[in-house]
Amino acid sequence: MKSAMNSSIRKKKILQAIGRTADLILFTTLTICALSMLFRGTANGKAILILSALAVLIVLLLLDRITHTRKERNELTHICKEIRIEKQLLMSDERIEELTGERTVMIRESYPEKAQILNALIRHPKYLICLGNEELARELIRCYAPQTTLLTVEEAIERTGIECSMEEAKGRMQSRDTCIRRHVDVRQLFQNGWNRYLVFGVLLLVLSVFTSHKIYYRLLASVSLILSVFKGILRLRNRSNIFRFFLDNMER
């Protein structure tokens, strides 16, 4: 089972690397095609194009690395928060009271009703932890239990000191990636968070107004905008898969 998971993760990483490389090459090619008209006929045209290609590749590689690192860091932060909330929900009220040092009651319903909140307030807790419907909880506390302090799950986690190790978060992330993508999928291509083709297409359209090669630049702009639509569709479909996976977990 573990070897199958590792194999799936390796396939995913290989496919993403291929997709990012193809993306960089394609975008660099479009950029060089756009610059070739500007420097055509100049004495150092070829040298300028080669240097421009290298500069574009270096910038794109740096942006890709920064985007990938930031995405992974944000995902790990989100997963850490998710695991800490799960640990909080699995704790008994007695254990939470030990950690807070005060009488504490937690309502574990995702959207508690009025009767559930009142039932919790009957126990006269110092702290009441709610997962949702916080406005109603605050109103009921103000009316019937002013001695009680309402805590959100995040506030309760900070107060009880629940931790999540980086190993736990990375394990959850790998497991989730494997569950979301059980096979190689073309939607894993072009993973960058911003659509460079859309920006480039708009710039080419603007450039076509000020040059004599209007048809050429508008053709390149059309190709770039079509690629931006294609990339946007892939990203939206990928996000819908992640959202569907999240709903499946909630139903369990």
Side-chain angles (χ1 to χ4, degrees):
M1 181 67 181
K2 187 174 181 179
S3 61
M5 180 185 294
N6 291 335
S7 175
S8 177
I9 293 170
R10 281 196 298 270
K11 287 181 181 178
K12 174 201 165 189
K13 289 183 177 180
I14 291 172
L15 183 64
Q16 286 182 341
I18 293 173
R20 287 198 296 268
T21 303
D23 189 17
L24 293 175
I25 293 174
L26 181 58
F27 187 78
T28 303
T29 302
L30 285 174
T31 305
I32 297 306
C33 289
L35 293 174
S36 63
M37 276 297 176
L38 296 177
F39 299 115
R40 189 176 64 172
T42 60
N44 300 316
K46 291 183 178 179
I48 293 174
L49 285 177
I50 292 172
L51 292 175
S52 299
L54 291 174
V56 170
L57 275 175
I58 291 172
V59 170
L60 291 179
L61 285 170
L62 287 174
L63 288 175
D64 182 73
R65 182 61 182 172
I66 292 171
T67 301
H68 179 72
T69 302
R70 183 184 298 131
K71 179 182 176 182
E72 188 176 67
R73 184 172 61 248
N74 290 341
E75 188 172 356
L76 285 173
T77 300
H78 176 76
I79 291 175
C80 278
K81 180 180 177 181
E82 185 179 275
I83 292 174
R84 292 173 74 193
I85 290 176
E86 290 172 0
K87 289 181 177 181
Q88 178 76 65
L89 292 175
L90 289 172
M91 278 187 179
S92 65
D93 287 349
E94 292 75 14
R95 177 57 179 163
I96 295 174
E97 287 182 7
E98 287 181 19
L99 295 174
T100 59
E102 300 285 351
R103 184 169 181 79
T104 306
V105 175
M106 172 183 282
I107 303 176
R108 290 170 174 78
E109 293 292 329
S110 58
Y111 198 79
E113 297 179 356
K114 182 176 181 179
Q116 292 172 309
I117 299 173
L118 289 174
N119 188 52
L121 293 177
I122 288 175
R123 298 166 62 182
H124 305 291
K126 172 64 177 177
Y127 298 117
L128 175 66
I129 303 172
C130 254
L131 297 184
N133 211 358
E134 295 172 3
E135 291 302 320
L136 176 59
R138 286 193 179 92
E139 180 64 22
L140 293 175
I141 288 173
R142 186 182 65 81
C143 294
Y144 303 111
Q147 77 283 355
T148 299
T149 301
L150 179 67
L151 296 179
T152 63
V153 177
E154 291 80 4
E155 291 171 341
I157 287 171
E158 294 302 322
R159 190 173 290 272
T160 54
I162 298 173
E163 297 294 339
C164 171
S165 68
M166 196 56 63
E167 288 72 20
E168 288 179 284
K170 288 182 178 178
R172 172 73 63 87
M173 185 168 65
Q174 290 180 351
S175 175
R176 180 168 297 176
D177 286 345
T178 304
C179 291
I180 293 174
R181 308 176 181 94
R182 286 186 169 86
H183 59 277
V184 174
D185 192 338
V186 71
R187 284 169 287 183
Q188 294 174 18
L189 300 176
F190 307 130
Q191 293 289 320
N192 291 324
W194 63 288
N195 200 325
R196 63 169 68 101
Y197 295 99
L198 177 61
V199 177
F200 190 63
V202 172
L203 288 176
L204 288 176
L205 284 176
V206 174
L207 183 62
S208 68
V209 177
F210 302 100
T211 67
S212 58
H213 308 290
K214 298 183 185 299
I215 296 178
Y216 180 78
Y217 282 108
R218 286 173 185 175
L219 178 62
L220 285 179
S222 300
V223 172
S224 186
L225 291 174
I226 289 172
L227 289 173
S228 75
V229 173
F230 175 69
K231 183 176 178 181
I233 291 173
L234 292 181
R235 191 185 307 128
L236 286 175
R237 292 179 66 186
N238 186 52
R239 286 178 181 173
S240 69
N241 275 355
I242 295 174
F243 182 66
R244 185 162 55 250
F245 175 78
F246 174 75
L247 291 180
D248 290 342
N249 275 350
M250 292 291 289
E251 289 174 358
R252 295 192 194 109

